[in-house]
Amino acid sequence: MPRNDGNKGKNEDLKKLDLTIQNIHKNETFLAENAGELTPHQIKDVKAHLASKKKHLYETDGTIK
């Protein structure tokens, strides 16, 4: 009978954080490459959304690890 892994939730949360960080970097590069095709309002919205995600990640950084 396998043991119950008590760190499973923690490991899943860390994987989600890493994936979110990678997605933020991809979105930032996409935004930089396609800034000419977007309206200033769209750029502002995307930057605000990315900033709120970054803020959340930095606040939760010490709580999970």
Side-chain angles (χ1 to χ4, degrees):
M1 182 180 262
R3 290 185 179 198
N4 185 12
D5 185 10
N7 292 326
K8 184 177 181 180
K10 177 183 171 186
N11 291 336
E12 289 175 354
D13 288 342
L14 289 174
K15 288 179 185 178
K16 287 179 186 177
L17 282 175
D18 290 336
L19 182 62
T20 303
I21 291 170
Q22 291 173 3
N23 287 337
I24 287 173
H25 291 300
K26 286 179 186 177
N27 288 338
E28 287 175 340
T29 56
F30 174 80
L31 187 64
E33 292 171 356
N34 299 313
E37 299 174 11
L38 300 172
T39 64
H41 184 69
Q42 289 173 326
I43 294 172
K44 183 179 124 186
D45 288 344
V46 171
K47 284 185 179 181
H49 184 72
L50 291 176
S52 69
K53 279 190 173 187
K54 283 183 183 178
K55 181 181 175 188
H56 174 73
L57 287 175
Y58 292 134
E59 288 174 352
T60 59
D61 186 34
T63 60
I64 294 176
K65 293 183 180 180

